[in-house]
Amino acid sequence: ANDLNERKEIFGVHLRPIKIDESVDAEFLARQTPGFSGADIANVCNEAALIAARNGKKFVQKEDFMNAVDRIVGGLEKRTKITTADERQCIANHEAGHATLSWLLEHANPLVKVTIVPRGKALGAAWYLPEERQITTKELLDEMCATLGGRAAEELFLGKISTGASNDLERVTKQAYAMVVYFGMSNRLPNLNYYDSSGQDWGFTKPYSEETARMIDQEVQAIINEQYERAKSILKEHASGHNSLAQVLLEREVIYTEDVEQIFGKRAWVSRSEEILELQEKANGKKAEEAKVAEADKQ
């Protein structure tokens, strides 16, 4: 995987032979593609050109690139999959729950796009801008809270919980377990790490007692419960915003950053990605200045 600036350069190379309009921006595309290799980026550019051609366009636009990324990450859209009005209501509520919390929590990843069109196995999907930063307890807790937002929204606004959250719950459980067992981030078991990086993995026995196992389970449960309650209380406070988002999703099947911004206003924090790009630009500017000075000295 390449870092943000490397991806920006790789996009620069692959965008050259393509006819694009001013809506396409290498920096924006780099932010949409965390974890992508050079070959993945080449695929995105080819796929975007094909999508534009299929739709009879003269230029490849931002939305063609977004659709290409979605395709590569999430599989083909299954427009033939029939969902009932009730199911759509449930999916829209669930996805709006994630979107609302990720927008309102400082350390959660801000949203790029949410759709309620089924794709692969998923009934709805959301794309976020992963922040490439050092992870601390705060980041992990905000992430968990946003991940639980879907289930919390179902409970709060629909009064029932669907099976749609099983993937969210799996992620949150693994994160909470890692916090307690690997990162030593829990109150009752600080500074302990039960991970064996030598790969011998402790034979058949766990390196801790039944008593500790019970404490680990309790800590994991406490962390998850706390974030679930926090998700519900934030959603209660911002119920009208959440419901507007769910409504827009039902009507249009897809929402973007701009739609969330219209409802909740701008995010109060500069994203880590923007910081990284700014630092890089400053460094490039400084290099250019130094080169100019050196050139002048020669003469």
Side-chain angles (χ1 to χ4, degrees):
N2 303 287
D3 80 3
L4 192 63
N5 290 305
E6 286 165 352
R7 291 199 300 277
K8 186 176 161 185
E9 281 170 25
I10 297 169
F11 265 111
V13 172
H14 291 292
L15 289 174
R16 258 177 234 143
I18 301 176
K19 276 190 175 164
I20 51 176
D21 70 3
E22 67 288 347
S23 69
V24 181
D25 167 15
E27 184 175 300
F28 174 79
L29 293 173
R31 291 175 65 183
Q32 304 309 313
T33 47
F36 277 44
S37 66
D40 295 331
I41 289 172
N43 280 344
V44 167
C45 294
N46 290 335
E47 186 68 41
L50 287 171
I51 292 172
R54 254 182 244 132
N55 293 321
K57 291 185 182 180
K58 290 206 167 48
F59 295 98
V60 189
Q61 295 174 302
K62 176 174 164 180
E63 64 173 324
D64 304 314
F65 283 94
M66 292 302 290
N67 287 332
V69 172
D70 296 356
R71 241 191 166 151
I72 286 164
V73 175
L76 293 176
E77 287 190 350
K78 290 205 169 106
R79 293 230 168 230
T80 49
K81 193 175 178 121
I82 306 295
T83 45
T84 66
D86 252 9
E87 281 172 329
R88 283 168 61 81
Q89 182 76 42
C90 185
I91 299 162
N93 248 292
H94 183 103
E95 295 299 341
H98 288 311
T100 299
L101 285 172
S102 71
W103 198 258
L104 297 170
L105 291 164
E106 179 176 0
H107 300 287
N109 295 325
L111 170 104
V112 176
K113 169 183 174 177
V114 184
T115 160
I116 56 170
V117 177
R119 210 180 252 288
K121 277 186 184 167
L123 294 173
W127 284 261
Y128 295 90
L129 266 189
E131 297 287 27
E132 301 179 22
R133 58 148 89 90
Q134 280 296 314
I135 294 194
T136 65
T137 315
K138 273 204 205 92
E139 271 87 4
L140 280 170
L141 294 176
D142 281 5
E143 256 325 276
M144 269 184 218
C145 186
T147 306
L148 289 165
R151 190 185 178 100
E154 287 181 32
E155 188 191 318
L156 264 184
F157 304 117
L158 301 175
K160 56 179 191 276
I161 286 176
S162 74
T163 53
S166 66
N167 181 276
D168 299 338
L169 297 180
E170 182 189 339
R171 271 181 52 206
V172 169
T173 308
K174 282 182 177 156
Q175 273 176 322
Y177 186 76
M179 278 180 78
V180 177
V181 177
Y182 298 156
F183 304 139
M185 284 176 171
S186 82
N187 298 336
R188 286 167 68 196
L189 298 158
N191 307 334
L192 290 176
N193 176 326
Y194 291 114
Y195 177 63
D196 178 17
S197 57
S198 70
Q200 289 162 356
D201 243 336
W202 315 106
F204 294 108
T205 54
K206 287 187 174 169
Y208 45 78
S209 65
E210 282 305 308
E211 187 50 40
T212 303
R214 202 167 294 119
M215 271 168 76
I216 290 172
D217 290 344
Q218 285 165 355
E219 283 290 89
V220 168
Q221 190 67 62
I223 289 170
I224 293 172
N225 286 351
E226 192 180 323
Q227 292 315 311
Y228 187 62
E229 290 309 316
R230 182 179 173 216
K232 282 200 296 193
S233 79
I234 295 172
L235 284 172
K236 251 186 212 147
E237 204 183 315
H238 295 275
S240 67
H242 168 278
N243 296 341
S244 314
L245 262 191
Q247 212 33 57
V248 176
L249 254 178
L250 275 174
E251 284 159 20
R252 297 216 306 256
E253 293 196 329
V254 59
I255 54 175
Y256 293 95
T257 310
E258 299 80 73
D259 305 302
V260 189
E261 207 165 84
Q262 247 178 345
I263 292 173
F264 291 112
K266 261 191 150 15
R267 275 185 108 227
W269 314 278
V270 171
S271 84
R272 178 75 185 114
S273 307
E274 279 162 358
E275 277 174 25
I276 292 174
L277 287 161
E278 264 172 36
L279 288 171
Q280 183 67 21
E281 272 161 27
K282 271 190 194 145
N284 291 347
K286 202 172 162 201
K287 269 191 201 147
E289 273 302 304
E290 282 165 3
K292 260 192 205 152
V293 171
E295 199 49 46
D297 284 350
K298 268 188 203 162
Q299 293 166 11

